[in-house]
């Protein structure tokens, strides 16, 4: 922690914004996993670090770093039982994921993006349920389910339930032509 804080004296938000964001992200993880001290205070410090990193680490500038920072923020907010903030970060992650999905070059890139968002979607479902917002919980759950199905279908090796063998063969033929 002391090393990250020392680095931030040089890696300032204005002089070296990306290095600043990376160092804040790493400092946040250090606080998040710190085995000593008051757990909630450590989480508050981690959350503050992630929020500082996100001031410069935006989806336009560094989408993967932004996704990782948002994921870490989502996880620590969940640990703090800050359900509204969990839903906010889940929504931001969904928007980022949808953009990455549209830009995915191949199935493996799509699968990696989906696998990275699933834990946050799960936290979002729980947060919505804890807030009594069952419509949002169901919407997030359906989104996660549809993304999983889309990833399976893009791979083309798992026939979804309730799809006829004939339709599945036709789909695989189309998929083969696309590749």
């Amino acid at each position: 922690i002391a090393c990250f804080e020392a680095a931030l004296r040089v890696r300032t938000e204005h002089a070296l914004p990306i290095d600043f964001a990376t160092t804040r992200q790493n400092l946040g993880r250090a606080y998040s996993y710190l085995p000593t001290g008051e757990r909630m205070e450590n989480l508050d410090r981690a959350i503050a670090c992630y929020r500082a990193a996100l001031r410069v680490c935006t989806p336009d500038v560094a989408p993967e770093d932004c996704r990782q920072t948002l994921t870490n923020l989502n996880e620590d907010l969940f640990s703090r039982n800050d359900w509204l903030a969990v839903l906010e970060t889940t929504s931001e992650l969904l928007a980022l994921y949808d953009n990455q999905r549209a830009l995915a070059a191949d199935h493996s890139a799509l699968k990696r993006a989906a696998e990275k968002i699933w834990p946050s979607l799960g936290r979002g479902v729980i947060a919505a349920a804890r807030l009594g917002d069952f419509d949002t919980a169901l919407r997030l759950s359906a989104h996660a389910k549809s993304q999983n199905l889309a990833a399976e279908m893009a791979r083309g090796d798992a026939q979804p339930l309730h799809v006829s063998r004939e339709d599945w063969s036709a789909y695989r033929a189309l998929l083969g032509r696309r590749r």
Side-chain angles (χ1 to χ4, degrees), residues 14-55:
H14 299 290
L16 300 165
I18 297 300
D19 292 335
F20 167 84
T22 300
T23 305
R24 280 286 179 190
Q25 153 83 287
N26 291 331
L27 180 58
R29 288 318 275 169
Y31 277 122
S32 183
Y33 289 108
L34 189 64
T36 60
E38 173 59 38
R39 175 80 176 129
M40 293 303 141
E41 288 177 18
N42 291 341
L43 286 173
D44 288 342
R45 288 184 183 110
I47 290 166
C49 287
Y50 301 139
R51 291 187 193 279
L54 289 167
R55 286 195 306 262

Side-chain angles (χ1 to χ4, degrees), residues 159-172:
Q159 181 176 337
L161 295 174
H162 311 296
V163 172
S164 72
R165 198 179 299 262
E166 180 182 305
D167 288 343
W168 184 244
S169 294
Y171 172 77
R172 290 194 62 176

Side-chain angles (χ1 to χ4, degrees), residues 115-176:
E115 287 172 347
K116 291 175 182 177
I117 194 168
W118 287 333
S120 296
L121 280 172
R123 287 188 289 271
V125 169
I126 293 168
R130 296 264 170 93
L131 290 168
D133 185 353
F134 299 108
D135 288 339
T136 297
L138 287 171
R139 182 181 53 79
L140 290 172
S141 181
H143 193 85
K145 198 171 170 185
S146 67
Q147 294 313 311
N148 186 32
L149 177 60
E152 291 291 322
M153 288 184 72
R155 192 168 60 237
D157 60 3
Q159 181 176 337
L161 295 174
H162 311 296
V163 172
S164 72
R165 198 179 299 262
E166 180 182 305
D167 288 343
W168 184 244
S169 294
Y171 172 77
R172 290 194 62 176
L174 288 171
L175 188 64

